[in-house]
PDB file of all heavy atoms in Angstrom:
ATOM      1  N   SER S 102     114.453 -43.198  55.631  1.00 89.00           N
ATOM      2  CA  SER S 102     114.758 -41.756  55.495  1.00 89.00           C
ATOM      3  C   SER S 102     113.493 -40.909  55.688  1.00 89.00           C
ATOM      4  O   SER S 102     113.577 -39.747  56.061  1.00 89.00           O
ATOM      5  CB  SER S 102     115.443 -41.459  54.152  1.00 89.00           C
ATOM      6  OG  SER S 102     114.500 -41.686  53.097  1.00 89.00           O
ATOM      7  N   PHE S 104     111.409 -41.199  57.901  1.00 91.00           N
ATOM      8  CA  PHE S 104     111.202 -40.988  59.373  1.00 91.00           C
ATOM      9  C   PHE S 104     112.418 -40.359  60.009  1.00 91.00           C
ATOM     10  O   PHE S 104     112.598 -40.497  61.276  1.00 91.00           O
ATOM     11  CB  PHE S 104     110.883 -42.305  60.023  1.00 91.00           C
ATOM     12  CG  PHE S 104     109.565 -42.907  59.583  1.00 91.00           C
ATOM     13  CD1 PHE S 104     109.495 -43.825  58.565  1.00 91.00           C
ATOM     14  CD2 PHE S 104     108.368 -42.472  60.132  1.00 91.00           C
ATOM     15  CE1 PHE S 104     108.305 -44.386  58.130  1.00 91.00           C
ATOM     16  CE2 PHE S 104     107.131 -43.026  59.716  1.00 91.00           C
ATOM     17  CZ  PHE S 104     107.130 -43.939  58.706  1.00 91.00           C
ATOM     18  N   GLU S 105     113.236 -39.665  59.266  1.00 91.00           N
ATOM     19  CA  GLU S 105     114.416 -38.967  59.862  1.00 91.00           C
ATOM     20  C   GLU S 105     114.011 -37.994  60.947  1.00 91.00           C
ATOM     21  O   GLU S 105     114.681 -37.941  62.015  1.00 91.00           O
ATOM     22  CB  GLU S 105     115.216 -38.252  58.797  1.00 91.00           C
ATOM     23  CG  GLU S 105     116.101 -39.222  57.954  1.00 91.00           C
ATOM     24  CD  GLU S 105     116.821 -38.526  56.798  1.00 91.00           C
ATOM     25  OE1 GLU S 105     116.573 -37.328  56.583  1.00 91.00           O
ATOM     26  OE2 GLU S 105     117.627 -39.192  56.137  1.00 91.00           O
ATOM     27  N   PRO S 106     112.947 -37.193  60.850  1.00 91.00           N
ATOM     28  CA  PRO S 106     112.512 -36.331  61.947  1.00 91.00           C
ATOM     29  C   PRO S 106     112.174 -37.130  63.203  1.00 91.00           C
ATOM     30  O   PRO S 106     112.487 -36.693  64.328  1.00 91.00           O
ATOM     31  CB  PRO S 106     111.278 -35.593  61.409  1.00 91.00           C
ATOM     32  CG  PRO S 106     111.414 -35.627  59.939  1.00 91.00           C
ATOM     33  CD  PRO S 106     112.063 -36.949  59.654  1.00 91.00           C
ATOM     34  N   VAL S 107     111.529 -38.284  63.031  1.00 92.00           N
ATOM     35  CA  VAL S 107     111.192 -39.129  64.212  1.00 92.00           C
ATOM     36  C   VAL S 107     112.464 -39.708  64.862  1.00 92.00           C
ATOM     37  O   VAL S 107     112.593 -39.780  66.037  1.00 92.00           O
ATOM     38  CB  VAL S 107     110.232 -40.248  63.777  1.00 92.00           C
ATOM     39  CG1 VAL S 107     109.837 -41.116  64.939  1.00 92.00           C
ATOM     40  CG2 VAL S 107     109.045 -39.706  63.084  1.00 92.00           C
ATOM     41  N   GLN S 108     113.432 -40.081  63.973  1.00 92.00           N
ATOM     42  CA  GLN S 108     114.695 -40.597  64.469  1.00 92.00           C
ATOM     43  C   GLN S 108     115.445 -39.530  65.278  1.00 92.00           C
ATOM     44  O   GLN S 108     116.093 -39.812  66.317  1.00 92.00           O
ATOM     45  CB  GLN S 108     115.571 -41.101  63.294  1.00 92.00           C
ATOM     46  CG  GLN S 108     114.975 -42.313  62.605  1.00 92.00           C
ATOM     47  CD  GLN S 108     115.812 -42.742  61.380  1.00 92.00           C
ATOM     48  OE1 GLN S 108     116.995 -43.041  61.512  1.00 92.00           O
ATOM     49  NE2 GLN S 108     115.213 -42.693  60.201  1.00 92.00           N
ATOM     50  N   ARG S 109     115.383 -38.290  64.826  1.00 92.00           N
ATOM     51  CA  ARG S 109     116.025 -37.201  65.530  1.00 92.00           C
ATOM     52  C   ARG S 109     115.338 -36.982  66.907  1.00 92.00           C
ATOM     53  O   ARG S 109     115.995 -36.719  67.906  1.00 92.00           O
ATOM     54  CB  ARG S 109     115.999 -35.904  64.689  1.00 92.00           C
ATOM     55  CG  ARG S 109     116.968 -35.881  63.536  1.00 92.00           C
ATOM     56  CD  ARG S 109     117.168 -34.490  63.007  1.00 92.00           C
ATOM     57  NE  ARG S 109     115.997 -33.931  62.422  1.00 92.00           N
ATOM     58  CZ  ARG S 109     115.623 -34.090  61.121  1.00 92.00           C
ATOM     59  NH1 ARG S 109     116.424 -34.779  60.326  1.00 92.00           N
ATOM     60  NH2 ARG S 109     114.535 -33.546  60.660  1.00 92.00           N
ATOM     61  N   MET S 110     113.994 -37.084  66.915  1.00 92.00           N
ATOM     62  CA  MET S 110     113.250 -36.933  68.160  1.00 92.00           C
ATOM     63  C   MET S 110     113.675 -38.011  69.125  1.00 92.00           C
ATOM     64  O   MET S 110     113.830 -37.819  70.335  1.00 92.00           O
ATOM     65  CB  MET S 110     111.746 -36.993  67.874  1.00 92.00           C
ATOM     66  CG  MET S 110     111.154 -35.678  67.484  1.00 92.00           C
ATOM     67  SD  MET S 110     109.333 -35.699  67.561  1.00 92.00           S
ATOM     68  CE  MET S 110     108.947 -36.364  65.936  1.00 92.00           C
ATOM     69  N   GLU S 111     113.844 -39.266  68.562  1.00 90.00           N
ATOM     70  CA  GLU S 111     114.218 -40.400  69.423  1.00 90.00           C
ATOM     71  C   GLU S 111     115.588 -40.194  70.053  1.00 90.00           C
ATOM     72  O   GLU S 111     115.840 -40.450  71.215  1.00 90.00           O
ATOM     73  CB  GLU S 111     114.232 -41.659  68.589  1.00 90.00           C
ATOM     74  CG  GLU S 111     114.422 -42.954  69.391  1.00 90.00           C
ATOM     75  CD  GLU S 111     114.217 -44.200  68.563  1.00 90.00           C
ATOM     76  OE1 GLU S 111     114.259 -44.121  67.340  1.00 90.00           O
ATOM     77  OE2 GLU S 111     114.045 -45.276  69.138  1.00 90.00           O
ATOM     78  N   GLN S 112     116.534 -39.626  69.252  1.00 92.00           N
ATOM     79  CA  GLN S 112     117.880 -39.330  69.776  1.00 92.00           C
ATOM     80  C   GLN S 112     117.766 -38.206  70.831  1.00 92.00           C
ATOM     81  O   GLN S 112     118.471 -38.276  71.865  1.00 92.00           O
ATOM     82  CB  GLN S 112     118.771 -38.912  68.631  1.00 92.00           C
ATOM     83  CG  GLN S 112     120.236 -38.692  69.036  1.00 92.00           C
ATOM     84  CD  GLN S 112     120.802 -39.920  69.705  1.00 92.00           C
ATOM     85  OE1 GLN S 112     120.748 -41.013  69.170  1.00 92.00           O
ATOM     86  NE2 GLN S 112     121.444 -39.728  70.851  1.00 92.00           N
ATOM     87  N   GLN S 113     116.915 -37.205  70.577  1.00 91.00           N
ATOM     88  CA  GLN S 113     116.728 -36.164  71.595  1.00 91.00           C
ATOM     89  C   GLN S 113     116.172 -36.714  72.875  1.00 91.00           C
ATOM     90  O   GLN S 113     116.583 -36.232  73.996  1.00 91.00           O
ATOM     91  CB  GLN S 113     115.820 -35.070  71.040  1.00 91.00           C
ATOM     92  CG  GLN S 113     116.407 -34.171  69.922  1.00 91.00           C
ATOM     93  CD  GLN S 113     115.352 -33.328  69.229  1.00 91.00           C
ATOM     94  OE1 GLN S 113     114.232 -33.254  69.659  1.00 91.00           O
ATOM     95  NE2 GLN S 113     115.801 -32.652  68.169  1.00 91.00           N
ATOM     96  N   LEU S 114     115.278 -37.656  72.825  1.00 89.00           N
ATOM     97  CA  LEU S 114     114.731 -38.286  74.013  1.00 89.00           C
ATOM     98  C   LEU S 114     115.838 -39.036  74.786  1.00 89.00           C
ATOM     99  O   LEU S 114     115.877 -38.952  76.060  1.00 89.00           O
ATOM    100  CB  LEU S 114     113.627 -39.288  73.671  1.00 89.00           C
ATOM    101  CG  LEU S 114     112.274 -38.657  73.252  1.00 89.00           C
ATOM    102  CD1 LEU S 114     111.330 -39.720  72.701  1.00 89.00           C
ATOM    103  CD2 LEU S 114     111.613 -37.926  74.411  1.00 89.00           C
ATOM    104  N   ARG S 115     116.727 -39.742  74.033  1.00 89.00           N
ATOM    105  CA  ARG S 115     117.826 -40.440  74.745  1.00 89.00           C
ATOM    106  C   ARG S 115     118.731 -39.420  75.416  1.00 89.00           C
ATOM    107  O   ARG S 115     119.209 -39.628  76.542  1.00 89.00           O
ATOM    108  CB  ARG S 115     118.614 -41.298  73.701  1.00 89.00           C
ATOM    109  CG  ARG S 115     117.833 -42.359  72.961  1.00 89.00           C
ATOM    110  CD  ARG S 115     117.367 -43.535  73.782  1.00 89.00           C
ATOM    111  NE  ARG S 115     116.174 -43.243  74.503  1.00 89.00           N
ATOM    112  CZ  ARG S 115     114.955 -43.297  73.967  1.00 89.00           C
ATOM    113  NH1 ARG S 115     114.790 -43.633  72.667  1.00 89.00           N
ATOM    114  NH2 ARG S 115     113.851 -43.072  74.660  1.00 89.00           N
ATOM    115  N   ASP S 116     119.030 -38.303  74.705  1.00 89.00           N
ATOM    116  CA  ASP S 116     119.884 -37.243  75.306  1.00 89.00           C
ATOM    117  C   ASP S 116     119.252 -36.672  76.548  1.00 89.00           C
ATOM    118  O   ASP S 116     119.965 -36.461  77.547  1.00 89.00           O
ATOM    119  CB  ASP S 116     120.149 -36.116  74.245  1.00 89.00           C
ATOM    120  CG  ASP S 116     120.990 -36.635  73.069  1.00 89.00           C
ATOM    121  OD1 ASP S 116     121.619 -37.686  73.196  1.00 89.00           O
ATOM    122  OD2 ASP S 116     120.943 -35.942  72.038  1.00 89.00           O
ATOM    123  N   LEU S 140     108.130 -33.726  74.284  1.00 91.00           N
ATOM    124  CA  LEU S 140     108.754 -34.434  73.160  1.00 91.00           C
ATOM    125  C   LEU S 140     108.189 -35.855  72.973  1.00 91.00           C
ATOM    126  O   LEU S 140     107.968 -36.343  71.899  1.00 91.00           O
ATOM    127  CB  LEU S 140     110.305 -34.444  73.338  1.00 91.00           C
ATOM    128  CG  LEU S 140     111.132 -34.944  72.145  1.00 91.00           C
ATOM    129  CD1 LEU S 140     110.823 -34.059  70.901  1.00 91.00           C
ATOM    130  CD2 LEU S 140     112.572 -34.970  72.466  1.00 91.00           C
ATOM    131  N   PHE S 144     106.506 -37.458  69.792  1.00 89.00           N
ATOM    132  CA  PHE S 144     107.091 -38.713  69.317  1.00 89.00           C
ATOM    133  C   PHE S 144     105.993 -39.755  69.100  1.00 89.00           C
ATOM    134  O   PHE S 144     105.981 -40.467  68.103  1.00 89.00           O
ATOM    135  CB  PHE S 144     108.134 -39.197  70.337  1.00 89.00           C
ATOM    136  CG  PHE S 144     108.879 -40.401  69.912  1.00 89.00           C
ATOM    137  CD1 PHE S 144     109.812 -40.376  68.881  1.00 89.00           C
ATOM    138  CD2 PHE S 144     108.658 -41.626  70.573  1.00 89.00           C
ATOM    139  CE1 PHE S 144     110.535 -41.540  68.543  1.00 89.00           C
ATOM    140  CE2 PHE S 144     109.375 -42.772  70.210  1.00 89.00           C
ATOM    141  CZ  PHE S 144     110.320 -42.698  69.183  1.00 89.00           C
TER     142      PHE S 144
END
Side-chain angles (χ1 to χ4, degrees):
S102 67
F104 294 96
E105 283 176 354
V107 182
Q108 293 175 60
R109 286 196 295 271
M110 276 192 274
E111 189 172 16
Q112 185 56 50
Q113 288 169 7
L114 287 171
R115 302 292 82 81
D116 293 342
L140 190 58
F144 184 70

